[in-house]
Amino acid sequence: MNIIGKKVIRIDAKEKAYGISKYASDYYFPNMLYTEVVYADVPHGILEHIDISEAEKLPGVVKIATYKDVPGTNKFGHVIDDMFFLVPEGEKVRFEGDVLAIIAAETPEIAKKAKELVKFKIKELPGVFTIDDAIKNEVLVHENNVAFTRKIRRGNVENAFKNADLIIKETFETGYQEHAYLETQGVVANYSDKLELYVSAQCPFYVQKDVSKILGIDLKDINVIQTETGGGFGGKEDVPSYIASKAALLSFLTKRPVKLIYTREMDIKETSKRHPSKSFYEVSFNKEGKILGVKAKIYLDMGAYSTLSPIVMYRTMVHACGAYSVDNVKVDVYGVYTNKVPCGAFRGFGSPQVLMAMESMMDIAAKKLNIDPFDIRMKNALEKNKQTATGHLLTESVGAKETLKKVYEASNYEQLKESVKKFNESNLLKKQGLGWAHIFYGVSLGAGGQFLDGATAMVNVQSDGTVAIMIGNTEMGQGAKTTISIIVSEILGQDLSKIRVLQPQTLFIQDSGPTVASRTTFFSGNAVKIATEKIKNNMLNFLGEYFNVKKDEIKFKDGFVYVNDKKFSFNEIAMLCNNNNVKLSETGWYKTPKLDFNHEDGVGEAYVTYSYATQLSLVEVDILTGKIELKKVWVCHDIGKVINLDGAIGQVHGGVIQGMGYVLFEDLKYKDGKITTKNFNNYLIPTIKDIPIEFYVDFVEDSFSEGPFGAKGLGEPSLMSAPPSILNAISAAIGKQLNKIPVSIEEIIKKE
Ligand code: MTE
Ligand code: MOS
């Protein structure tokens, strides 16, 4: 490989560091209006009346839109349309962030004043705020609080428990997690002959479709331009549709550009989070530590609307038994409505909750059976020709055990255990602990979303040899532009600095599905590879004739083209091809092979392939104050092939720290149905001071035949290994298995 897997400079680093990149809030148009959003600010009730007459009279207010102004459908939904865009009179308000009206005014100040003048009356209803209350179904958020289920039924679970040497039964709880992207949600809408939407988003095609429904206009009349996006982490999957629709409607009604940039408080109040969960696990083992069966009931708190929850639940279900081969499985996942913020996509997409539970079960079992936590994982880990819990027979690219072994060796585990033991013997108030986690991740959308699993890329070699690319997926910080450029550079030999990746625009490029599920490298990577190879082939055909040589005597490498012993710059050759009418622009399309999956019993090929990872964490706990320090971390991922080395390491660094925040700090608090932690003064996330002093990252490259150069996916698994590993380390340090995150200091200092 010339450049794949090597250290390179991130192609968008400079423009971001120098402040050149344009984010949604950087777009200005003449005559632009500013937006305010009128929220219900009541968790449950009936909107009896809304009166905008006073607010409309305020000079500088151009338009106040309510449900009466929506030209198309007034509802949103991914699986079912259960959420109003603007709540109509006589209808229910189901969480504090429900929107009643939107205001367009000449200045942000006027919009804010107008908001105070909008009057409305809500008849309050008792609310449902916990999973336990939701299950009771006494107060109903919608017709039935337990609205969605997913299940796996495989093997003979009763037998697997009857014949077991050890049965463990535990309950686990996990809290919310806020995406905390640097850039809040934002959009600028500009309607003239068509609607242009400049949106901070992961999924511009979702925005295009949703806005088309709200306004009742054709897709051809809506160009969604993805702006530079300052982080998404799943929080800009469906949510930008709800934001963009507001500005789009106001622009449509006023025929003027409209800007809507969320404050952090609006963002935290209204937009999605990671689902809180409560799960009941029973796992049976034989005395050697082999898992015989898993029974699990998992409840996810969807909040007021279902949005992406039923899709999230699919991933929860498939990952519920962890990264292990389990033959007897009974898993039930339930999505319940509450009167709180709708939850949706967040890095890991419903899997971190259950991986935390299953990995805790593994540690509890290891302790009871007197087996090392490393050994019990090796014993159950997946490998080639084994089946996952859904009965997916794995035929290739299963580097699971390799990741375990690499971490074992890199950490010098046996010695490390000794040193931790010694530390604990000689320290009374500080205790260290080691925690393992072994995880897997189904790459892309899987059998639940195959209809979206295709992607395109357009590659355009300019006459001077530089290259412009547009892919249908997005850069949101994860490094997709660099990864895509590396693939093109590998094939054409052109230097990275001569390659530009454009942000997608929905009128120019085909819907390539959402930029989620860690699918960009695999999908857009394949699409761009196909397109670039076509161009190279066009060039080779011409050059072969032109120089009268065989095609395989021509090599593209390091910015040059070698024809036998002659050497030309790639730029010269591109110019030559261009001047001889060679086709230098191509598109590529990639779609996955069909998966065989039965949704009734949850059995079959759940995903096209899986990434695997192992993490070992060393924590130190002050048992007097409850302070926890993550001191050292060893992580290894099998991602098939490392394309963008620094990018991959960066993903693991960021993912582990975000996962650490989930376990240690991040605690979204509610009081009377309203979030009280609406900014980072009281919703704490990790900072640079919290990162471990030693951070080992390594990769296994067990090639996947369908992947571009063998690659799978890393964006989300990079987070997923951290929560269970850190939680297990804390449990080991204090000698008590914790089963609730975020970990509370009280729980640690409590004497039992
Ligand atoms: N990394 C950064 N810096 N910013 C992000 O918003 N999102 C994560 C992950 N890593 C994210 C990130 C999520 S939720 C996903 S699905 C993947 O990146 C998407 O990118 P990929 O498809 O290129 O892996
Ligand atoms: Mo990521 S949660 O799939 O956007």
Side-chain angles (χ1 to χ4, degrees), residues 10 179 181 202 229-235 237 345-349 441 473-480 483 514-522 650-651 654-655 658 712-718:
R10 186 184 174 116
H179 304 87
Y181 25 64
Q202 295 177 224
T229 296
F233 305 108
E237 178 172 350
F346 194 136
R347 208 170 191 176
F349 209 77
Y441 176 83
N473 290 128
T474 54
E475 167 73 58
M476 64 184 99
Q478 87 278 36
T483 304
T515 308
V516 300
S518 310
R519 64 192 283 274
T520 309
T521 303
F522 179 40
Q651 281 295 295
Q658 197 168 35
K712 300 192 280 192
L714 174 66
E716 295 167 276
S718 58

Side-chain angles (χ1 to χ4, degrees), residues 678-733:
K678 287 200 176 90
N679 210 326
F680 300 130
N681 56 336
N682 53 10
Y683 183 84
L684 301 185
I685 59 171
T687 70
I688 194 89
K689 283 169 107 179
D690 303 305
I691 64 173
I693 48 167
E694 200 174 310
F695 210 134
Y696 167 90
V697 181
D698 203 357
F699 298 98
V700 166
E701 297 185 313
D702 197 331
S703 183
F704 174 46
S705 58
E706 278 283 325
F709 301 95
K712 300 192 280 192
L714 174 66
E716 295 167 276
S718 58
L719 177 146
M720 288 156 50
S721 63
S725 169
I726 296 166
L727 188 69
N728 280 338
I730 300 166
S731 298

Side-chain angles (χ1 to χ4, degrees), residues 465-515:
T466 59
V467 187
I469 302 163
M470 194 185 276
I471 56 169
N473 290 128
T474 54
E475 167 73 58
M476 64 184 99
Q478 87 278 36
K481 282 186 178 179
T482 307
T483 304
I484 291 301
S485 305
I486 289 173
I487 291 174
V488 172
S489 172
E490 181 71 35
I491 298 166
L492 295 181
Q494 180 58 296
D495 193 80
L496 277 192
S497 65
K498 303 286 181 195
I499 299 173
R500 175 187 285 280
V501 183
L502 300 151
Q503 320 279 127
Q505 300 198 17
T506 56
L507 288 188
F508 291 92
I509 192 153
Q510 186 178 345
D511 185 348
S512 298
T515 308

